[in-house]
Amino acid sequence: MNRKKLLLLTAVIVLLTGCAPDKSTGVKEDKIILTVLAGQSTSDAGIEDMVNEWMEKEYPQVELEWECVDWGDRFESQMRGRLASGDIPDIIIGKAQDVKAYAKTGQLGTISEDCSAKIKESALDSVTLDHQVYGLPYNFWYQGVIYNKDIFEQLSIEVPRTTEDMEAAVEKLKAEGIVPFAVHFQESWKVANMTMQYMMNEIFKYDPQWGERFRRGEVDYTRNEDIMRCMENNRMILDASWEDALLLDQFESDSRFTQGEAAMYLTGSWSMQFANQYGKTIRFGIFPFPNKKGDADLIRETNLTFMKSADTEHDSLIDEIFYSLLSDRQLTSEILEFTQADSAVEGMESAYKSKIQDDIDTYEEQGRVIDVSTGNAQLIWSFQNRVAQEQLAWLKKEKTLEEVLEFSDANRAASAYEE
């Protein structure tokens, strides 16, 4: 946010609340004001109300002043503007993949050892830079193909492991008059998310530094068979979905899938918010979208991640709040159930059981899980989303696949944050 917009926002807050924070002390009346920039994904909206209610009980002398923005559309631009101007909120809530990029600017504060000790070890690597922890992962999502187990059993379809298995399953479903895939291609972020799922198992699984090599010009999108396979998967799913899939948003797609109108859905556990509420009679499972070698892993994404400003006047207080939040079993359980996510906090598990939890546990026990932060940290979201917009034009037959690949190579410098 630029300075003019920030001043305008502050003026609006003054008019609405009748009381503006004292910028020199961060105090409004008798309360300490902590500013929060929260980048929210589709299932996160409403968490701020849960945290506020908790704060009123645990820290009545503190008020959180929230600015909630869509993580996919506005969070990155907001953070870039704030970093450039030095106007960093006291608390930032983003994703784990954001942490290292922003920490490199020197404007994120380090997290206390007491707080970082609360986080599962498997989640700390993505938020650690030069042996210092700069973020607190709070929950995990899992991504893959959520499927209707009832339909699969009725048609004796086994969970696909290879590309050929998937092709056979799609053809059998079509022959039975069942739509193979739910999908919503109204939003470019969906195309970006799906493409990274493929790339994790086709590319980053075998070449964890592929994104860095791409920026150095050692590998390209153009004439890359693995990349082309990833993008062609989107075409296959579109052709195996509803006729109006290019016009649908997530809500409509989730709704139709929950009502049994498609057998599979390449998505994340966030879609279970709707399924657990309205699809109570349907049994669901999850499996990785197959790769060419038949050894694809389920994808884990660290979602809510807490950060803080290096220059906040309330460093110790924020650490105390973070520690208390990570220690509160009831709040953690409520947020995990609300977001349909798994816990990144050691010893904190949700009391609810998702319809796909048994499958998730099986993949974790088998070591068949890959962390998407590997790909997301190397190809930043704004780059992925821009390439996805080009893919949408291709899916609508307005551009060729070659043009999409050439666009990606031409914009390789934009695939990483400027340091």
Side-chain angles (χ1 to χ4, degrees):
M1 176 181 289
N2 60 36
R3 181 65 60 180
K4 179 182 289 185
K5 289 184 178 179
L6 179 62
L7 290 173
L8 179 59
L9 176 61
T10 303
V12 171
I13 292 171
V14 171
L15 289 173
L16 293 177
T17 65
C19 183
D22 182 334
K23 295 181 180 179
S24 62
T25 63
V27 174
K28 182 170 79 175
E29 295 179 346
D30 296 327
K31 289 193 174 184
I32 297 171
I33 304 299
L34 297 178
T35 56
V36 183
L37 175 63
Q40 296 184 332
S41 297
T42 53
S43 66
D44 297 335
I47 290 175
E48 67 276 13
D49 297 326
M50 301 166 74
V51 174
N52 278 342
E53 184 177 348
W54 176 81
M55 287 288 295
E56 288 175 5
K57 297 177 187 175
E58 303 295 329
Y59 294 91
Q61 79 280 16
V62 180
E63 180 178 331
L64 299 181
E65 193 171 86
W66 293 81
E67 181 183 0
C68 299
V69 299
D70 183 274
W71 183 87
D73 289 337
R74 295 182 55 208
F75 181 71
E76 182 185 331
S77 61
Q78 286 279 29
M79 277 300 295
R80 286 188 181 225
R82 297 292 187 93
L83 292 168
S85 66
D87 177 33
I88 314 300
D90 295 301
I91 297 172
I92 305 105
I93 306 175
K95 294 181 184 284
Q97 66 199 57
D98 301 318
V99 173
K100 289 184 179 180
Y102 299 145
K104 289 177 182 179
T105 69
Q107 296 183 75
L108 288 189
T110 56
I111 301 297
S112 73
E113 291 184 8
D114 286 343
C115 287
S116 60
K118 288 276 189 182
I119 305 303
K120 292 178 180 178
E121 189 173 345
S122 60
L124 285 176
D125 180 65
S126 61
V127 294
T128 302
L129 182 68
D130 298 330
H131 308 292
Q132 295 285 340
V133 177
Y134 289 91
L136 291 169
Y138 192 68
N139 63 3
F140 294 124
W141 277 331
Y142 289 85
Q143 300 177 26
V145 181
I146 297 178
Y147 71 107
N148 187 316
K149 287 188 173 183
D150 298 324
I151 293 176
F152 268 51
E153 287 187 8
Q154 289 165 11
L155 300 182
S156 299
I157 298 175
E158 298 291 330
V159 168
R161 292 289 297 266
T162 67
T163 301
E164 291 74 21
D165 290 342
M166 178 59 82
E167 291 172 352
V170 168
E171 289 307 312
K172 188 167 189 177
L173 289 162
K174 285 182 176 180
E176 295 293 333
I178 297 172
V179 175
F181 277 99
V183 74
H184 53 100
F185 278 159
Q186 184 186 97
E187 310 112 331
S188 60
W189 73 261
K190 179 60 177 175
V191 182
N193 173 268
M194 291 168 62
T195 304
M196 181 52 75
Q197 286 201 48
Y198 312 134
M199 291 181 69
M200 286 303 303
N201 277 304
E202 294 285 7
I203 296 173
F204 286 101
K205 179 180 173 72
Y206 310 107
D207 187 356
Q209 295 300 310
W210 189 89
E212 301 297 339
R213 295 179 59 222
F214 168 64
R215 255 181 307 284
R216 293 196 296 265
E218 298 171 6
V219 291
D220 301 310
Y221 275 64
T222 307
R223 294 179 297 280
N224 185 316
E225 291 186 2
D226 291 329
I227 291 288
M228 286 189 280
R229 183 180 300 106
C230 291
M231 294 188 180
E232 289 286 3
N233 284 337
N234 287 328
R235 172 70 71 187
M236 182 276 290
I237 287 180
L238 175 62
D239 291 343
S241 188
W242 303 294
E243 291 184 1
D244 59 350
L246 286 167
L247 306 175
L248 299 184
D249 61 13
Q250 181 188 342
F251 178 85
E252 179 63 23
S253 185
D254 286 1
S255 176
R256 291 186 187 183
F257 179 66
T258 297
Q259 295 174 50
E261 295 183 25
M264 296 179 283
Y265 195 179
L266 183 61
T267 183
S269 47
W270 55 81
S271 289
M272 297 309 293
Q273 267 189 332
F274 205 98
N276 282 344
Q277 184 174 0
Y278 299 105
K280 294 180 179 179
T281 62
I282 298 176
R283 295 182 302 129
F284 294 103
I286 188 171
F287 62 86
F289 190 92
N291 62 359
K292 66 178 179 181
K293 294 187 178 181
D295 61 353
D297 296 323
L298 200 64
I299 293 171
R300 181 174 57 217
E301 177 188 6
T302 306
N303 184 39
L304 290 172
T305 301
F306 297 95
M307 298 163 267
K308 65 179 179 180
S309 167
D311 297 324
T312 179
E313 297 177 3
H314 305 287
D315 187 76
S316 298
L317 173 60
I318 292 173
D319 278 348
E320 182 184 338
I321 292 172
F322 282 168
Y323 186 86
S324 297
L325 189 150
L326 296 172
S327 302
D328 194 299
R329 290 183 178 276
Q330 181 176 347
L331 177 65
T332 299
S333 181
E334 289 173 356
I335 292 178
L336 291 175
E337 182 172 2
F338 180 76
T339 58
Q340 291 295 293
D342 287 60
S343 178
V345 183
E346 193 69 61
M348 293 282 190
E349 304 301 334
S350 175
Y352 88 99
K353 184 173 181 179
S354 169
K355 287 173 171 284
I356 60 175
Q357 193 64 51
D358 287 343
D359 288 346
I360 290 172
D361 292 343
T362 297
Y363 283 105
E364 283 282 10
E365 290 165 5
Q366 294 175 350
R368 294 185 57 201
V369 174
I370 189 170
D371 197 314
V372 75
S373 63
T374 300
N376 284 338
Q378 293 182 52
L379 302 177
I380 63 173
W381 178 250
S382 57
F383 173 79
Q384 290 184 50
N385 198 35
R386 190 66 186 87
V387 172
Q389 291 169 3
E390 296 295 305
Q391 283 195 70
L392 269 177
W394 164 61
L395 292 172
K396 295 174 182 177
K397 299 182 179 180
E398 298 168 356
K399 290 192 174 185
T400 66
L401 180 57
E402 187 66 23
E403 288 176 315
V404 178
L405 301 172
E406 290 173 354
F407 172 89
S408 304
D409 286 343
N411 288 274
R412 74 179 72 216
S415 62
Y417 293 107
E418 297 179 3
E419 296 185 25

